Amino acid sequence: MLRISELVNSDASLISRRCWTDQAVYDLEVRGIFGRAWLFLGHESQIRRAGDFVQAYMCETPIILSRGADLRIHANINSCSHRGLPVCRADHGNTRRFICPYHNWSYTVEGELSTIPQENALAGKPDKSKLGLKRVPRLESWRGLIFGSFDPDIIPLEEYLGDMRFYLDAFLGRFPAGIEFMGAPHRWVLDANWKLPVENQLGDVNHGAFLHSAIIPREAQDLIEELGYSVVTRPGHGATFRLMPVDAPVDEVAWGMEGMGGMFGGAEVQEYLRDVQANAAERVGPLRARMKGLTYGVYPNLSFLWSNASFKVSHPRGPGKVEYWSWAVVPADAPDAVKRVLRTNYSSFFGPGGILEQEDSEVWVQQFKGSNIDFADDRPYFYGLGLGEEAPHPQLPGLVSVTANEFYARQFFSRWRDELQAVESGV
Amino acid sequence: MSATASPVQQRALEAFYYREARLLDNRQYRQWLELVSEDIRYLLPARVNVQVDNRQRGEEHMISVERELEGADSMGCPIREETYMHLMLRVERAYKINSWSENPPARTRRIVGNVELMARGGDELSVLSNFHLHYARPGGDSFLYSGQRRDLLLENAGDFRLRRREVILDYADISLPTLGLLF
Ligand code: FES
Ligand SMILES: [Fe+2]
């Protein structure tokens, strides 16, 4: 029997291959991490009107996220109380009832059981108030981002996010009406472990110069690394970004300008982006106005790619499979034509057809193969780059370092280890 | 809107698509790019599982393919919406030593068929075709891509240039290694 303490050493500079492949480890992850964390479900812009719904997942558990007739947000497990079928099959939509195909039990959009067709023929009437869909016990949102948790006693979402809010707000707070998600997520399935996409988006900026060198010129990457910071606000939560010089021209700082849409999408788009940047200091303060983000991660499996405007979730499907979701995000107040251009900042390079992300998808799959081989268990992966070189910073919350320092990954794995050990020992 | 192709024209269209398929499968991507007009729009709509609308019961539209597509005009997010510049990036990438997801290079073979002229307006032809594309990856994996291409071709002295292509891929869940191929 594997013990978690043998998989990650004390400073998390050595990570066992079994962390990525072992079924027993995965079972602990499901209970010890996904059963206890705040998990990202969606954005409020996806369910604006009463009756709107979208599908979501909490680990492998299918969730319906909906806006009730009361305009409140609801999250329920998508599984009928009668025999367990999913009661909702569409990716998104608007409805008053979810009707189960098998025997047509129907549920309200809030998740209450509404009718049991068979009961008319029977004397006994089941208590419907106890037979609704199973509710996600905790549901909270912050700045439009909706999270759920299976742990009824979890700390409030804002406390969980902690100082990560400082960095998230540098983006979310930049736009007068916040952001919105465009359309259904792109979802694709890879033979990889869920943690590698997470690690990649948590702080692995420096692979750009190598894995992506067919597309990203060395000089561009050098500039990124020169101005780049990597921070960890709490193990598992982190951000990387550039802090642009105070006198940098607006076009070099403004979010969106460096994407294909921003560069080639026309004058209206560029004017919009310059306008946002012109008001950024007022909205998020002078320091964060100079921030030009790269990657973000919120423990355990939410990522945000600032430079290519997308939110991503890495949904586990067992140790060796992941369903990766990503959405294009755009400023909510932008004209429709501008939104349609800005979404290409994401899709040009990322997503299942992305010129850059096809490379990432490939290495995530190859890493899982490498983790699975025999006769290499005595060679854990080396996570020691930059060990101990991170430090607090006078202006930036969290531990701060250069982007080459892999402390973001060590911090992730020390939290991961501690949480799995807690469930392993029955805490 | 409808148009019938003469036998000569039908043969010319098919010959164009066969040549295009050969160039792509032979990895002669630069030559392929010469078949493309510089104002091209290359689109791959996202395909979603939509809610059945009760009010459309019994109607053809209830199960139409169109309802499932998040294309360029929608407020959803197409998987690809590219210009000539994107295609140039993809083409040139193929000849670099560090295009890792195609290392070894993409082994593809496609069969193009069901070529159908749908409409003609001036020198612009609207043409549909279907494809099956087999893609072999190292490690024993191989994949079948199936789809329809909705093209706008520019006709010039018996030859064609691709001005718009919309690729309707027949996927429900994407378990293909990349949708970044040239279809
Ligand atoms: S399984 Fe849902 S109604 Fe019977
Ligand atoms: Fe990458």
Side-chain angles (χ1 to χ4, degrees), chain A residues 62-83:
Chain A
I63 304 292
I64 306 170
L65 183 66
S66 61
R67 179 82 64 175
D70 54 4
L71 292 181
R72 294 177 39 170
I73 297 169
H74 300 266
N76 294 287
I77 296 182
N78 185 9
S79 175
C80 181
S81 305
H82 186 221
R83 294 292 185 274

PDB file of all heavy atoms in Angstrom, chain A residues 62-83:
ATOM      1  N   PRO A  62     -21.546  15.174 -12.225  1.00  0.00           N
ATOM      2  CA  PRO A  62     -22.198  16.141 -13.119  1.00  0.00           C
ATOM      3  C   PRO A  62     -23.141  17.054 -12.346  1.00  0.00           C
ATOM      4  O   PRO A  62     -23.914  16.593 -11.503  1.00  0.00           O
ATOM      5  CB  PRO A  62     -22.972  15.251 -14.097  1.00  0.00           C
ATOM      6  CG  PRO A  62     -23.219  13.981 -13.351  1.00  0.00           C
ATOM      7  CD  PRO A  62     -22.091  13.818 -12.370  1.00  0.00           C
ATOM      8  N   ILE A  63     -23.070  18.333 -12.647  1.00  0.00           N
ATOM      9  CA  ILE A  63     -23.822  19.347 -11.907  1.00  0.00           C
ATOM     10  C   ILE A  63     -24.645  20.170 -12.891  1.00  0.00           C
ATOM     11  O   ILE A  63     -24.185  20.472 -13.999  1.00  0.00           O
ATOM     12  CB  ILE A  63     -22.846  20.302 -11.170  1.00  0.00           C
ATOM     13  CG1 ILE A  63     -21.899  19.535 -10.240  1.00  0.00           C
ATOM     14  CG2 ILE A  63     -23.604  21.407 -10.428  1.00  0.00           C
ATOM     15  CD1 ILE A  63     -22.558  18.895  -9.049  1.00  0.00           C
ATOM     16  N   ILE A  64     -25.856  20.515 -12.474  1.00  0.00           N
ATOM     17  CA  ILE A  64     -26.638  21.512 -13.214  1.00  0.00           C
ATOM     18  C   ILE A  64     -26.550  22.816 -12.431  1.00  0.00           C
ATOM     19  O   ILE A  64     -26.905  22.861 -11.257  1.00  0.00           O
ATOM     20  CB  ILE A  64     -28.124  21.128 -13.324  1.00  0.00           C
ATOM     21  CG1 ILE A  64     -28.296  19.724 -13.911  1.00  0.00           C
ATOM     22  CG2 ILE A  64     -28.879  22.158 -14.168  1.00  0.00           C
ATOM     23  CD1 ILE A  64     -29.733  19.219 -13.819  1.00  0.00           C
ATOM     24  N   LEU A  65     -26.057  23.829 -13.099  1.00  0.00           N
ATOM     25  CA  LEU A  65     -25.975  25.159 -12.490  1.00  0.00           C
ATOM     26  C   LEU A  65     -27.082  25.982 -13.121  1.00  0.00           C
ATOM     27  O   LEU A  65     -27.152  26.073 -14.352  1.00  0.00           O
ATOM     28  CB  LEU A  65     -24.599  25.751 -12.802  1.00  0.00           C
ATOM     29  CG  LEU A  65     -24.270  27.119 -12.209  1.00  0.00           C
ATOM     30  CD1 LEU A  65     -24.177  27.042 -10.693  1.00  0.00           C
ATOM     31  CD2 LEU A  65     -22.957  27.635 -12.795  1.00  0.00           C
ATOM     32  N   SER A  66     -27.943  26.559 -12.285  1.00  0.00           N
ATOM     33  CA  SER A  66     -29.119  27.211 -12.870  1.00  0.00           C
ATOM     34  C   SER A  66     -29.503  28.480 -12.131  1.00  0.00           C
ATOM     35  O   SER A  66     -29.071  28.725 -11.004  1.00  0.00           O
ATOM     36  CB  SER A  66     -30.301  26.239 -12.863  1.00  0.00           C
ATOM     37  OG  SER A  66     -30.602  25.875 -11.525  1.00  0.00           O
ATOM     38  N   ARG A  67     -30.326  29.267 -12.796  1.00  0.00           N
ATOM     39  CA  ARG A  67     -30.899  30.475 -12.203  1.00  0.00           C
ATOM     40  C   ARG A  67     -32.373  30.162 -11.965  1.00  0.00           C
ATOM     41  O   ARG A  67     -33.113  29.865 -12.906  1.00  0.00           O
ATOM     42  CB  ARG A  67     -30.731  31.623 -13.194  1.00  0.00           C
ATOM     43  CG  ARG A  67     -31.284  32.939 -12.753  1.00  0.00           C
ATOM     44  CD  ARG A  67     -30.384  33.713 -11.833  1.00  0.00           C
ATOM     45  NE  ARG A  67     -29.143  34.117 -12.445  1.00  0.00           N
ATOM     46  CZ  ARG A  67     -28.237  34.909 -11.838  1.00  0.00           C
ATOM     47  NH1 ARG A  67     -28.438  35.343 -10.613  1.00  0.00           N
ATOM     48  NH2 ARG A  67     -27.123  35.222 -12.447  1.00  0.00           N
ATOM     49  N   GLY A  68     -32.774  30.206 -10.716  1.00  0.00           N
ATOM     50  CA  GLY A  68     -34.136  29.828 -10.375  1.00  0.00           C
ATOM     51  C   GLY A  68     -35.145  30.897 -10.720  1.00  0.00           C
ATOM     52  O   GLY A  68     -34.793  32.019 -11.083  1.00  0.00           O
ATOM     53  N   ALA A  69     -36.428  30.543 -10.588  1.00  0.00           N
ATOM     54  CA  ALA A  69     -37.498  31.514 -10.790  1.00  0.00           C
ATOM     55  C   ALA A  69     -37.325  32.658  -9.799  1.00  0.00           C
ATOM     56  O   ALA A  69     -37.725  33.800 -10.056  1.00  0.00           O
ATOM     57  CB  ALA A  69     -38.851  30.840 -10.602  1.00  0.00           C
ATOM     58  N   ASP A  70     -36.700  32.356  -8.657  1.00  0.00           N
ATOM     59  CA  ASP A  70     -36.425  33.381  -7.642  1.00  0.00           C
ATOM     60  C   ASP A  70     -35.181  34.209  -7.971  1.00  0.00           C
ATOM     61  O   ASP A  70     -34.753  35.033  -7.178  1.00  0.00           O
ATOM     62  CB  ASP A  70     -36.242  32.698  -6.286  1.00  0.00           C
ATOM     63  CG  ASP A  70     -35.169  31.589  -6.334  1.00  0.00           C
ATOM     64  OD1 ASP A  70     -34.535  31.413  -7.407  1.00  0.00           O
ATOM     65  OD2 ASP A  70     -34.959  30.913  -5.310  1.00  0.00           O
ATOM     66  N   LEU A  71     -34.580  33.953  -9.161  1.00  0.00           N
ATOM     67  CA  LEU A  71     -33.370  34.627  -9.639  1.00  0.00           C
ATOM     68  C   LEU A  71     -32.123  34.280  -8.825  1.00  0.00           C
ATOM     69  O   LEU A  71     -31.052  34.825  -9.041  1.00  0.00           O
ATOM     70  CB  LEU A  71     -33.542  36.151  -9.708  1.00  0.00           C
ATOM     71  CG  LEU A  71     -34.530  36.621 -10.785  1.00  0.00           C
ATOM     72  CD1 LEU A  71     -34.631  38.135 -10.806  1.00  0.00           C
ATOM     73  CD2 LEU A  71     -34.106  36.093 -12.167  1.00  0.00           C
ATOM     74  N   ARG A  72     -32.264  33.347  -7.901  1.00  0.00           N
ATOM     75  CA  ARG A  72     -31.067  32.903  -7.171  1.00  0.00           C
ATOM     76  C   ARG A  72     -30.391  31.776  -7.939  1.00  0.00           C
ATOM     77  O   ARG A  72     -30.989  31.133  -8.794  1.00  0.00           O
ATOM     78  CB  ARG A  72     -31.448  32.456  -5.761  1.00  0.00           C
ATOM     79  CG  ARG A  72     -31.957  33.654  -4.953  1.00  0.00           C
ATOM     80  CD  ARG A  72     -32.402  33.235  -3.598  1.00  0.00           C
ATOM     81  NE  ARG A  72     -31.493  32.197  -3.058  1.00  0.00           N
ATOM     82  CZ  ARG A  72     -31.518  31.780  -1.807  1.00  0.00           C
ATOM     83  NH1 ARG A  72     -32.382  32.311  -0.963  1.00  0.00           N
ATOM     84  NH2 ARG A  72     -30.712  30.827  -1.391  1.00  0.00           N
ATOM     85  N   ILE A  73     -29.124  31.578  -7.597  1.00  0.00           N
ATOM     86  CA  ILE A  73     -28.345  30.552  -8.286  1.00  0.00           C
ATOM     87  C   ILE A  73     -28.477  29.227  -7.547  1.00  0.00           C
ATOM     88  O   ILE A  73     -28.456  29.201  -6.310  1.00  0.00           O
ATOM     89  CB  ILE A  73     -26.871  30.990  -8.389  1.00  0.00           C
ATOM     90  CG1 ILE A  73     -26.765  32.258  -9.245  1.00  0.00           C
ATOM     91  CG2 ILE A  73     -26.006  29.886  -8.987  1.00  0.00           C
ATOM     92  CD1 ILE A  73     -25.409  32.914  -9.188  1.00  0.00           C
ATOM     93  N   HIS A  74     -28.615  28.160  -8.300  1.00  0.00           N
ATOM     94  CA  HIS A  74     -28.763  26.833  -7.710  1.00  0.00           C
ATOM     95  C   HIS A  74     -27.774  25.878  -8.355  1.00  0.00           C
ATOM     96  O   HIS A  74     -27.451  26.019  -9.530  1.00  0.00           O
ATOM     97  CB  HIS A  74     -30.184  26.312  -7.933  1.00  0.00           C
ATOM     98  CG  HIS A  74     -31.230  27.191  -7.332  1.00  0.00           C
ATOM     99  ND1 HIS A  74     -31.748  26.980  -6.080  1.00  0.00           N
ATOM    100  CD2 HIS A  74     -31.828  28.309  -7.817  1.00  0.00           C
ATOM    101  CE1 HIS A  74     -32.630  27.936  -5.805  1.00  0.00           C
ATOM    102  NE2 HIS A  74     -32.692  28.751  -6.847  1.00  0.00           N
ATOM    103  N   ALA A  75     -27.312  24.906  -7.577  1.00  0.00           N
ATOM    104  CA  ALA A  75     -26.443  23.865  -8.129  1.00  0.00           C
ATOM    105  C   ALA A  75     -26.889  22.527  -7.576  1.00  0.00           C
ATOM    106  O   ALA A  75     -26.996  22.353  -6.355  1.00  0.00           O
ATOM    107  CB  ALA A  75     -24.985  24.137  -7.776  1.00  0.00           C
ATOM    108  N   ASN A  76     -27.210  21.617  -8.482  1.00  0.00           N
ATOM    109  CA  ASN A  76     -27.693  20.295  -8.091  1.00  0.00           C
ATOM    110  C   ASN A  76     -26.983  19.216  -8.886  1.00  0.00           C
ATOM    111  O   ASN A  76     -26.569  19.457 -10.025  1.00  0.00           O
ATOM    112  CB  ASN A  76     -29.203  20.180  -8.374  1.00  0.00           C
ATOM    113  CG  ASN A  76     -30.023  21.105  -7.506  1.00  0.00           C
ATOM    114  OD1 ASN A  76     -30.184  20.876  -6.316  1.00  0.00           O
ATOM    115  ND2 ASN A  76     -30.529  22.175  -8.110  1.00  0.00           N
ATOM    116  N   ILE A  77     -26.883  18.048  -8.278  1.00  0.00           N
ATOM    117  CA  ILE A  77     -26.295  16.924  -9.000  1.00  0.00           C
ATOM    118  C   ILE A  77     -27.286  16.450 -10.065  1.00  0.00           C
ATOM    119  O   ILE A  77     -28.477  16.273  -9.784  1.00  0.00           O
ATOM    120  CB  ILE A  77     -25.931  15.785  -8.034  1.00  0.00           C
ATOM    121  CG1 ILE A  77     -24.833  16.273  -7.070  1.00  0.00           C
ATOM    122  CG2 ILE A  77     -25.481  14.550  -8.800  1.00  0.00           C
ATOM    123  CD1 ILE A  77     -24.351  15.229  -6.090  1.00  0.00           C
ATOM    124  N   ASN A  78     -26.781  16.256 -11.269  1.00  0.00           N
ATOM    125  CA  ASN A  78     -27.622  15.899 -12.412  1.00  0.00           C
ATOM    126  C   ASN A  78     -27.877  14.398 -12.427  1.00  0.00           C
ATOM    127  O   ASN A  78     -27.319  13.666 -13.233  1.00  0.00           O
ATOM    128  CB  ASN A  78     -26.924  16.352 -13.703  1.00  0.00           C
ATOM    129  CG  ASN A  78     -27.772  16.146 -14.946  1.00  0.00           C
ATOM    130  OD1 ASN A  78     -28.964  15.820 -14.843  1.00  0.00           O
ATOM    131  ND2 ASN A  78     -27.152  16.321 -16.106  1.00  0.00           N
ATOM    132  N   SER A  79     -28.713  13.952 -11.493  1.00  0.00           N
ATOM    133  CA  SER A  79     -28.988  12.522 -11.396  1.00  0.00           C
ATOM    134  C   SER A  79     -30.341  12.334 -10.716  1.00  0.00           C
ATOM    135  O   SER A  79     -30.571  12.812  -9.601  1.00  0.00           O
ATOM    136  CB  SER A  79     -27.875  11.834 -10.583  1.00  0.00           C
ATOM    137  OG  SER A  79     -28.187  10.480 -10.383  1.00  0.00           O
ATOM    138  N   CYS A  80     -31.217  11.620 -11.421  1.00  0.00           N
ATOM    139  CA  CYS A  80     -32.597  11.445 -10.978  1.00  0.00           C
ATOM    140  C   CYS A  80     -32.666  10.650  -9.665  1.00  0.00           C
ATOM    141  O   CYS A  80     -31.942   9.681  -9.466  1.00  0.00           O
ATOM    142  CB  CYS A  80     -33.369  10.710 -12.071  1.00  0.00           C
ATOM    143  SG  CYS A  80     -35.106  10.443 -11.685  1.00  0.00           S
ATOM    144  N   SER A  81     -33.576  11.061  -8.788  1.00  0.00           N
ATOM    145  CA  SER A  81     -33.721  10.384  -7.493  1.00  0.00           C
ATOM    146  C   SER A  81     -34.372   9.011  -7.628  1.00  0.00           C
ATOM    147  O   SER A  81     -34.392   8.237  -6.670  1.00  0.00           O
ATOM    148  CB  SER A  81     -34.573  11.237  -6.555  1.00  0.00           C
ATOM    149  OG  SER A  81     -34.021  12.522  -6.446  1.00  0.00           O
ATOM    150  N   HIS A  82     -34.911   8.701  -8.798  1.00  0.00           N
ATOM    151  CA  HIS A  82     -35.598   7.426  -8.985  1.00  0.00           C
ATOM    152  C   HIS A  82     -34.609   6.312  -9.355  1.00  0.00           C
ATOM    153  O   HIS A  82     -34.442   5.353  -8.604  1.00  0.00           O
ATOM    154  CB  HIS A  82     -36.687   7.595 -10.055  1.00  0.00           C
ATOM    155  CG  HIS A  82     -37.563   6.391 -10.235  1.00  0.00           C
ATOM    156  ND1 HIS A  82     -37.956   5.957 -11.482  1.00  0.00           N
ATOM    157  CD2 HIS A  82     -38.111   5.542  -9.341  1.00  0.00           C
ATOM    158  CE1 HIS A  82     -38.730   4.878 -11.340  1.00  0.00           C
ATOM    159  NE2 HIS A  82     -38.838   4.607 -10.049  1.00  0.00           N
ATOM    160  N   ARG A  83     -33.928   6.446 -10.503  1.00  0.00           N
ATOM    161  CA  ARG A  83     -32.941   5.432 -10.895  1.00  0.00           C
ATOM    162  C   ARG A  83     -31.608   6.023 -11.340  1.00  0.00           C
ATOM    163  O   ARG A  83     -30.791   5.327 -11.933  1.00  0.00           O
ATOM    164  CB  ARG A  83     -33.484   4.564 -12.041  1.00  0.00           C
ATOM    165  CG  ARG A  83     -34.673   3.681 -11.701  1.00  0.00           C
ATOM    166  CD  ARG A  83     -34.343   2.546 -10.740  1.00  0.00           C
ATOM    167  NE  ARG A  83     -35.480   1.669 -10.549  1.00  0.00           N
ATOM    168  CZ  ARG A  83     -36.447   1.882  -9.640  1.00  0.00           C
ATOM    169  NH1 ARG A  83     -36.386   2.937  -8.855  1.00  0.00           N
ATOM    170  NH2 ARG A  83     -37.462   1.041  -9.538  1.00  0.00           N
TER     171      ARG A  83
END
